[in-house]
Amino acid sequence: MSQGIQNPLTFLGAALSTTASVIIALAAGKSDDNRAFLIFTAVFVAILALAFLVMLLMRPRRSRDTSTASSRTEPAPSELEMTYDVFLSSPMASFPTSEQYEEHRAGMRQLVEALERHCRFKVYYAGLHLPTWNSFQRPDIGAQRDAAALRESKRFLLVVPLPLVSSIYVEAGYALALHKPSVYYHHVDVELPFMLRHASQYGNDFPRCKEYRYAQIEEIVQDIEMNKSSLFD
């Protein structure tokens, strides 16, 4: 509690206590009716003095409690140690056939290799160790694993090859909420959701976001080779 608040409350409490004592002393020389009134008044004033005393004792305690609670707050995401330099998000189980997934996965492996070679990035890509549909984990297990990896990644890279109903858009939204610098590549035949197309225009509530179209995976690989980590700046 500040000194400016504490001193007036201390003075007022002391004054009320003194007043109660004076009233009790005056009551001794009065008639029964007046004495009863003065005693009642003295008790009331004493209660007020006690209330001020409680206020004086409790306010510093609240301040200490608040200070302790603040010291226990969780660190901001930017203060956490990051495990990955970039989270690569692209459709997997939403492909119509396993053959299409495997073909697309081969392209994503090219991106991973380019990011590792030219940017010196440690990359998280969920499909790296899932060569076929038969390799997929239970959805709840995979979602928990991917969400944890996204929280521990510095950047977010989205690649959308087809107009599919996919959890990649959930991951993109989560990356925005975590304020991860993001780059979106979508095939020339795919339109991104409105908010992703204009995320960079929403001010300080959103991270840096870039959007590019591509026709072949090799175009993304070439972008990484030429621009390296500045692609995310």
Side-chain angles (χ1 to χ4, degrees):
M1 188 190 336
S2 66
Q3 192 67 20
I5 296 175
Q6 184 174 359
N7 287 342
L9 289 177
T10 303
F11 175 80
L12 187 55
L16 288 172
S17 297
T18 302
T19 302
S21 299
V22 171
I23 294 174
I24 291 293
L26 291 174
K30 299 297 181 180
S31 62
D32 292 343
D33 291 340
N34 291 334
R35 185 184 300 113
F37 174 78
L38 289 173
I39 291 174
F40 175 82
T41 303
V43 171
F44 178 77
V45 172
I47 292 173
L48 285 179
L50 182 60
F52 278 104
L53 177 61
V54 171
M55 289 174 63
L56 286 172
L57 294 175
M58 292 299 294
R59 289 180 67 95
R61 182 177 179 181
R62 289 196 202 104
S63 299
R64 288 193 299 271
D65 291 346
T66 302
S67 175
T68 302
S70 300
S71 66
R72 294 175 181 172
T73 54
E74 294 295 328
S78 59
E79 299 172 353
L80 297 175
E81 184 177 352
M82 296 290 107
T83 303
Y84 304 99
D85 294 297
V86 64
F87 183 103
L88 174 56
S89 176
S90 196
M92 291 169 44
S94 55
F95 277 99
T97 66
S98 180
E99 290 74 20
Q100 285 177 287
Y101 163 68
E102 293 170 25
E103 180 182 356
H104 178 71
R105 175 180 174 273
M108 294 302 96
R109 293 187 65 182
Q110 293 181 47
L111 293 190
V112 171
E113 292 172 1
L115 290 164
E116 291 175 342
R117 181 184 309 114
H118 301 290
C119 304
R120 305 298 181 188
F121 279 173
K122 184 176 181 180
V123 184
Y124 179 87
Y125 170 54
L128 199 59
H129 304 292
L130 303 173
T132 67
W133 274 2
N134 294 329
S135 308
F136 292 159
Q137 293 178 312
R138 296 289 184 182
D140 56 334
I141 297 174
Q144 292 177 3
R145 178 200 60 206
D146 294 346
L150 182 49
R151 288 194 299 271
E152 297 172 6
S153 298
K154 295 179 181 178
R155 306 166 183 86
F156 179 80
L157 175 59
L158 175 69
V159 179
V160 189
L162 293 171
L164 301 171
V165 178
S166 173
S167 59
I168 57 173
Y169 297 115
V170 177
E171 293 173 346
Y174 192 29
L176 289 178
L178 294 173
H179 223 263
K180 307 287 185 181
S182 301
V183 176
Y184 310 135
Y185 278 98
H186 57 103
H187 193 270
V188 292
D189 295 330
V190 175
E191 289 294 333
L192 292 180
F194 178 85
M195 182 167 283
L196 295 186
R197 294 202 309 270
H198 301 281
S200 61
Q201 304 175 18
Y202 297 144
N204 295 332
D205 289 337
F206 286 79
R208 295 187 305 277
C209 298
K210 297 180 179 180
E211 175 199 357
Y212 302 107
R213 293 179 181 271
Y214 76 97
Q216 301 292 330
I217 291 294
E218 288 71 22
E219 297 174 32
I220 308 178
V221 173
Q222 185 178 13
D223 268 358
I224 295 171
E225 292 176 353
M226 293 178 60
N227 299 290
K228 300 180 174 58
S229 61
S230 62
L231 182 66
F232 294 88
D233 296 337

